Structure formats: C-alpha cells, structure tokens
Amino acid sequence: MATPSDTFRQSVAFAVLTGRDAHGKPALGPVATARARVQPSRRLIRDANGNEQLATHVVYTDAPLTLQHRVWLPGEDVADFNRARRPVAVDEFVDGSGAVRFRKVWF
C-alpha cells in the first residue's frame, strides 16, 4: 500500500529558531534536510492566531516541523537566513493507530 511519503520527491532544509542574540539577530539550531513535496499555492488560510493570511506554498513532509522552524525550499541558499520561510500554519495528519504520518505546512 502506498503511503503519502512515497510522493515526497523533493527535499527541504529546516532549522529551529532557538532565540536571538543581544542585537536581535536570530539564532538557529543545526540545519537538517527532509523529504518533502512542495506545491505553490495561493490560498487564504488562518494562522495559529486566527488571522487570515495568503499562503504562497504548501509543503507536505514527515519532518517534525513546527511554527518555531525556519524552512528553505528546494534550490534556496541555506546559508542565507533571509531566504528561510516561517510556517504560517502546520496541520498534522494521523493514521488509525494515532501516529502522525505527515504534516502539511503552509507558508
């Protein structure tokens, strides 16, 4: 039986935001990569605070991404923090046994 992760043919890089230095510059944890499916999307969604935002991409992945992560889409320079995207919303999809199978991350 095919699983959703069988369609993850691209990869994204991600790192968790761990804090900020004295000058306000963000500090990130180690950068990791994960298999994903990246789709351009123009959809009005509600963020975690209930505000409406226009999402430009949706990423399907089995990586444990949260709103605290920063994500670089395929082909973007991981060394450039300004190219990292901040998730607007994260939807988790759970299988019949209660385990999270994959996440739908909106940007």
Side-chain angles (χ1 to χ4, degrees):
M1 181 172 153
T3 63
S5 62
D6 292 340
T7 64
F8 301 162
R9 307 277 165 103
Q10 297 166 296
S11 66
V12 293
F14 62 95
V16 68
L17 182 66
T18 57
R20 297 195 177 268
D21 66 12
H23 302 286
K25 183 178 176 185
L28 298 175
V31 176
T33 59
R35 294 182 332 142
R37 187 174 86 219
V38 179
Q39 290 182 204
S41 171
R42 296 274 184 220
R43 177 176 269 171
L44 197 59
I45 65 164
R46 291 202 183 273
D47 65 14
N49 296 325
N51 302 319
E52 288 186 340
Q53 291 196 7
L54 180 63
T56 60
H57 288 82
V58 62
V59 173
Y60 298 87
T61 184
D62 49 10
L65 296 179
T66 66
L67 297 177
Q68 296 301 315
H69 282 87
R70 300 301 179 261
V71 179
W72 292 267
L73 299 181
E76 292 181 337
D77 182 11
V78 178
D80 185 358
F81 176 79
N82 295 319
R83 301 294 301 165
R85 296 172 190 251
R86 181 177 177 217
V88 175
V90 178
D91 299 326
E92 292 184 336
F93 291 87
V94 179
D95 66 9
S97 65
V100 175
R101 300 298 293 174
F102 68 96
R103 289 165 183 82
K104 186 176 183 180
V105 185
W106 297 91
F107 296 94

